[in-house]
Amino acid sequence: MCRSIKTLYNFEPPATEQEIRAAALQFVRKLSGFSVPSKANEEAFERAVDEVAATAARLIESLVTTAEPKDRVVEAERAKARSAARFGTAPA
């Protein structure tokens, strides 16, 4: 589950609101143990996702670095190559 949470800081183009929310959703799912919360827990679950997403966005906006931004396409290709080496499959 947590493997789908990706680094969002210092990329070009910058992380979108949707990417930040998706990471927040995965984080809350991991913490709660729910993929989909029950109706009784739905409001608390959604509130947690909103709060984590807002906090993550503030964090990303406040960080500073002197490093050049990473290119999303290049990093995706590297991830595919690592996966192929690890699992013995050819990159698609």
Side-chain angles (χ1 to χ4, degrees), residues 42-87:
E42 190 172 28
E43 184 179 331
F45 188 90
E46 286 300 318
R47 185 174 54 250
V49 172
D50 292 342
E51 291 172 3
V52 170
T55 300
R58 282 193 307 274
L59 171 65
I60 291 169
E61 290 170 9
S62 67
L63 295 173
V64 294
T65 185
T66 57
E68 290 291 319
K70 298 175 212 158
D71 184 290
R72 288 180 182 273
V73 174
V74 171
E75 293 301 317
E77 289 299 320
R78 287 181 183 160
K80 285 181 186 177
R82 283 192 305 271
S83 178
R86 181 176 180 189
F87 299 110

